[in-house]
């Protein structure tokens, strides 16, 4: 009898997917938390109920085959699809369905969103523990069938058939790339642009924008101030929190641009200001990027803090370089 207990995780009121039944085993005994702020309470709660071990996978490498489930806080970008793509059951603390550039890998049987502790409960039913098999797409099956059909052809017909197949393969790849590009634009880029526009409208109309602008104008109006701003944004325990979706950088960037238009900040400071407010961008994605690159757990453990601390050097350095290249800009 397994020493681990099973839990069932339902979607929240604004969620999608699931329910997921999580049954840790002797091999898959880790509840991975990739949230950028230590072990999230939901991940710890799942670990407490199941008897598994909660791990801060943001700073500690965990092999994919040891994860019983991974807990993320992704608003709809890459993180929510990375782990379903790798065959790991995924719990998203944020609402949202199959979105992002890896949306095709997100299904109701490997993903659930808008989860809090109240959506997690012990499961008394029978649990079947297995590993999801890689999906065989229609294109690959069709391609195999065509290959079998033409494999025996020889001579002139065989050569023509092979040329036609090669040309068709290239055309299909370009067609699929165009389709994916348009789909990504419609499903991810345009909604994000609409969200940022709405957020900026609220900030501007409420007067919060003026308060933020007055606070950042002294920093963005001088080289020492911009260097300080980049250091603040790149502080390792802040950058993963400020990084998701680049929303903070988008909002502050528009406010800085408005101050430049008003004449409160010299136009020559536009480029260095851009690098100053972008020092934290992507900091939340560091462990996921290393995981996508199939880095070893030890590499993740060393690489994440190394990359975060490196921002404290590269951030201010980028501001100085941008400042030097901004001379003569009006």
């Amino acid at each position: 009898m397994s020493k681990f207990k099973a839990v069932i995780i339902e979607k929240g009121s604004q969620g999608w997917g699931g329910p997921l039944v999580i049954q840790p085993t002797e091999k898959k005994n880790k509840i991975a938390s990739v949230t950028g702020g230590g072990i999230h309470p939901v991940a710890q709660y799942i670990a407490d109920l199941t008897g598994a071990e909660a791990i801060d996978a943001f700073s500690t490498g965990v092999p994919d085959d040891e994860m019983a489930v991974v807990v993320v806080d992704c608003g709809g970008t890459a993180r929510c699809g990375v782990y379903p793509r790798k065959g790991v059951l995924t719990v998203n603390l944020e609402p949202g369905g199959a979105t992002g550039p890896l949306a095709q890998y997100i299904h109701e049987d490997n993903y659930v969103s808008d989860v809090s502790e109240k959506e997690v409960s012990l499961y008394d039913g029978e649990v079947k523990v297995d590993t999801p098999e890689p999906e065989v797409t229609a294109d690959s099956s069709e391609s195999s069938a065509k290959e079998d059909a033409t494999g025996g052809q020889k001579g002139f017909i065989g050569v023509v058939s092979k040329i036609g197949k090669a040309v068709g393969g290239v055309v299909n790849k370009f067609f699929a790339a165009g389709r994916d590009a348009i789909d990504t634009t419609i499903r991810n880029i345009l909604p994000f642009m609409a969200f940022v526009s709405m957020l900026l409208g609220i900030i501007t109309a409420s007067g919060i924008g003026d308060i933020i602008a007055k606070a950042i104008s002294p920093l963005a109006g001088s080289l020492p101030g911009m260097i300080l701003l980049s250091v603040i944004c790149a502080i390792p325990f802040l950058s993963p929190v400020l990084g998701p979706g680049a929303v903070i950088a988008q909002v502050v960037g528009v406010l800085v641009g408005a101050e430049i238009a008003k004449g409160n900040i010299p136009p020559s400071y536009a480029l260095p200001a851009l690098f100053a407010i972008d020092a934290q961008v992507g900091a939340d994605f560091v462990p996921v990027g290393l995981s996508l690159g199939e880095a070893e757990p030890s590499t993740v453990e060393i690489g994440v803090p190394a990359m975060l601390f490196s921002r404290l050097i590269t951030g201010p350095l980028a501001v100085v370089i941008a400042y030097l290249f901004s001379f003569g800009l009006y």
Side-chain angles (χ1 to χ4, degrees), residues 275-302:
F275 283 93
I277 64 175
D278 279 347
Q280 83 287 351
V281 172
D284 62 311
F285 195 73
V286 174
V288 181
L290 290 172
S291 178
L292 278 174
E294 299 182 356
E296 296 292 334
S298 57
T299 303
V300 176
E301 292 181 21
I302 299 172

Side-chain angles (χ1 to χ4, degrees), residues 129-211:
V129 180
D130 56 7
T131 302
E133 294 293 332
E135 295 186 10
V136 178
T137 62
D139 290 341
S140 62
S141 299
E142 186 177 327
S143 176
S144 299
K146 288 182 179 178
E147 185 175 352
D148 293 338
T150 61
Q153 295 178 349
K154 298 180 180 180
F156 179 74
I157 299 299
V159 172
V160 172
S161 177
K162 289 181 179 179
I163 294 175
K165 181 180 177 182
V167 173
V170 172
V171 171
N172 286 337
K173 283 182 172 60
F174 278 106
F175 174 75
R179 180 181 59 196
D180 291 345
I182 293 175
D183 183 65
T184 299
T185 301
I186 294 174
R187 298 181 61 179
N188 301 297
I189 298 176
L190 292 180
F192 181 75
M193 292 173 64
F195 163 71
V196 172
S197 299
M198 179 198 69
L199 186 61
L200 287 170
I202 294 174
I203 290 174
T204 302
S206 63
I208 298 176
D210 294 333
I211 297 174

Side-chain angles (χ1 to χ4, degrees), residues 245-262:
V247 175
I248 300 298
Q250 293 271 2
V251 173
V252 176
V254 172
L255 296 176
V256 169
E259 292 303 299
I260 292 175
K262 293 177 182 177

